Amino acid sequence: MDEAVERRRFLGLTAAAAALGLTATVAGCGSIGGDGGDVTLRLVAADYDLTGGNTTKKYWDDLVTAFQAGHPGIKVQVDVVSWDDVDRKVAEMVKAGKAPDVAQIGAYADYAAAGQLYSADELLTIPVQANFLPVLADAGEYSRTQYGLPFVASTRPLFYNLDLFEKAGVKPPTTWDELAEAAAKLKEEGVRTPFALPLGPEEAQAESLMWLLSGDGGWTDDSDRYAVDSDANVKTFTWLKDELVGKGLTGPVAPGKLNRKAAFAAFARGEVGMLNGHPSLLKEAAKQGVKVGQAPLPGTDGPPKSAMGVADWIMGFKQNGHRKEVGSFLDFVFTDENVLKFAGDNDLLPVTVTASNRMATEAEHAKLREFLKALPTAQLPPVGKTSWAKVSETIKQNIGTAVTPAGRPDEVLGSIARTATAAEAAE
């Protein structure tokens, strides 16, 4: 990021803390149509309730009730859809010419590239736009303009089973060598899966990125070009194959067959010594009596310079022409109270500076502080690339073969790199 952009962001962030409380009244409201009547916005949102309940729907119902009380000219209809279906549903709506006014989903770049979204500065008041954490605002950019508004975020520290660690006489590792040594001792104590390595198709692209960053690599280089088969990445997967998988330290299920959901469930049952964790796992582990320790992810010589971050996105579609109303609604969505309520209830991280500062100091959110510390310097997957969907799917389907007994990390990464190069050229 150049110095001028950094300076503007800094000034905006400084102003945000004082101005954020005013945003709901600063933003315009009412219809921009010619008849002066009420406007009804349609919001399609992802369901974050892991237990099949209605907590996400209740959140949006309460938020909409409060918003409508202060904005009598605007009504909001909310459709909460499971994560399995929400991205597909929005894509079908857009294709049918019936785009929602607001969508809270997993990706924005394709819609931005097609000219279907309002940019952040077309929707939000300046204090609200300036209050996003810079790393997330940057990740929301397509062609240097922000279209994706971060809704919630997470990072992934190392989780470890405190009781199993105590029994094996090991401490939280800070380097890969220490991790392998700890895993070997856990195996000696009969731990079924010393280190769970889920490289199955559910979320292999994210699990892989955590390791690549720990090995001073990543899916892209400093110029945001794909660097899938870089020397650093090949070394990382060679180490995983030889030092963890090859030595039987990743459990009875082959990493390429192990999905994140199954790995998390095994950890919550007390069968896993260590894994790269997610905030949502804390609650489930606690329910089953597993005591969880947290530490920064180990790297080759110590904790890496940046951890992996993940964000989900909310965006405003142009089709219905409700720019002012969508902007008023989104300004309200990003007030501290609303941001903290959703993030805290779902064990996720807030996306704004002021809400993050509050979470860092409030006792009720203490268990999320390890995640929160890593977020400002986190590196996100290249979600601003329209090619990323294809590249990500290729990674999910193939990366697990790099750590099989017959696997060749250089060949597997090279094949994915060729797909990435072709996809990027087609952007």
Side-chain angles (χ1 to χ4, degrees):
M1 186 184 300
D2 66 47
E3 191 172 329
V5 173
E6 282 280 14
R7 186 162 53 251
R8 289 197 301 273
R9 279 239 167 94
F10 175 78
L11 292 173
L13 293 173
T14 304
L20 188 63
L22 304 176
T23 56
T25 55
V26 171
C29 63
S31 171
I32 61 171
D35 60 4
D38 287 353
V39 165
T40 298
L41 302 178
R42 183 170 185 190
L43 163 66
V44 177
D47 188 359
Y48 286 76
D49 196 311
L50 299 175
T51 63
N54 67 345
T55 56
T56 300
K57 184 177 186 305
K58 185 178 186 308
Y59 169 83
W60 285 114
D61 287 347
D62 291 347
L63 184 149
V64 165
T65 297
F67 172 75
Q68 290 179 165
H71 299 77
I74 312 174
K75 299 184 184 302
V76 184
Q77 293 180 348
V78 182
D79 186 10
V80 175
V81 181
S82 76
W83 266 114
D84 291 341
D85 301 318
V86 68
D87 288 291
R88 175 183 54 79
K89 177 166 184 171
V90 171
E92 290 173 351
M93 292 172 69
V94 172
K95 186 176 181 180
K98 298 179 180 179
D101 296 284
V102 181
Q104 189 276 296
I105 52 178
Y108 67 88
D110 285 347
Y111 301 121
Q116 295 166 327
L117 301 180
Y118 290 116
S119 63
D121 58 5
E122 290 177 308
L123 293 174
L124 303 176
T125 53
I126 291 172
V128 175
Q129 187 181 357
N131 196 35
F132 290 126
L133 289 165
V135 67
L136 301 178
D138 290 346
E141 291 184 356
Y142 172 78
S143 292
R144 300 185 180 275
T145 298
Q146 186 182 358
Y147 294 95
L149 313 179
F151 181 66
V152 285
S154 68
T155 57
R156 309 289 174 87
L158 180 75
F159 280 9
Y160 56 96
N161 184 310
L162 282 165
D163 289 337
L164 295 180
F165 263 51
E166 183 177 349
K167 184 179 178 183
V170 293
K171 296 180 179 180
T174 60
T175 68
W176 287 358
D177 287 345
E178 290 176 2
L179 186 150
E181 290 171 9
K185 290 182 180 179
L186 289 164
K187 184 180 179 181
E188 290 173 5
E189 289 294 327
V191 176
R192 189 168 187 263
T193 303
F195 192 100
L197 183 65
L199 294 177
E202 181 186 351
E203 207 194 25
Q205 83 291 355
E207 180 72 21
S208 299
L209 181 55
M210 287 181 256
W211 285 99
L212 298 184
L213 292 172
S214 298
D216 296 322
W219 293 128
T220 55
D221 60 21
D222 292 340
S223 301
D224 200 35
R225 306 286 294 180
Y226 285 114
V228 175
D229 59 347
S230 68
D231 289 345
N233 291 352
V234 171
K235 288 179 181 178
T236 293
F237 268 88
T238 300
W239 186 89
L240 286 172
K241 179 191 173 190
D242 295 344
E243 303 301 325
L244 280 189
V245 183
K247 293 185 177 179
L249 301 178
T250 54
V253 181
K257 303 291 185 182
L258 181 65
N259 280 324
R260 185 187 72 165
K261 185 176 181 180
F264 281 12
F267 184 87
R269 293 193 301 267
E271 299 170 3
V272 174
M274 297 175 276
L275 50 63
N276 294 334
H278 183 281
S280 64
L281 180 54
L282 290 174
K283 196 174 290 184
E284 188 59 32
K287 284 181 186 176
Q288 300 194 45
V290 172
K291 297 176 184 177
V292 182
Q294 298 180 43
L297 296 183
T300 51
D301 300 310
K305 291 176 287 188
S306 62
M308 186 195 73
V310 175
D312 299 328
W313 306 94
I314 192 165
M315 61 212 71
F317 281 87
K318 290 180 177 180
Q319 182 180 312
N320 302 316
H322 295 150
R323 180 183 64 81
K324 287 177 64 179
E325 291 82 1
V326 169
S328 295
F329 179 66
L330 290 173
D331 270 352
F332 189 76
V333 166
F334 288 114
T335 57
D336 276 5
E337 289 70 22
N338 289 327
V339 171
L340 277 171
K341 171 68 175 169
F342 194 87
D345 285 354
N346 291 280
D347 287 330
L348 293 166
L349 304 181
V351 296
T352 63
V353 173
T354 50
S356 295
N357 289 342
R358 281 181 52 178
M359 179 174 275
T361 58
E362 293 177 353
E364 64 186 291
H365 302 302
K367 64 183 179 181
L368 294 174
R369 286 176 187 160
E370 193 67 48
F371 301 89
L372 199 61
K373 284 191 294 186
L375 186 56
T377 58
Q379 182 172 322
L380 277 72
V383 292
K385 292 177 175 289
T386 57
S387 58
W388 175 240
K390 180 176 179 60
V391 175
S392 175
E393 187 61 29
T394 303
I395 294 167
K396 290 179 183 181
Q397 298 302 324
N398 295 285
I399 196 66
T401 62
V403 296
T404 60
R408 288 282 305 273
D410 56 341
E411 292 181 357
V412 174
L413 289 168
S415 176
I416 297 170
R418 289 189 289 275
T419 297
T421 299
E424 190 167 43
E427 281 188 310

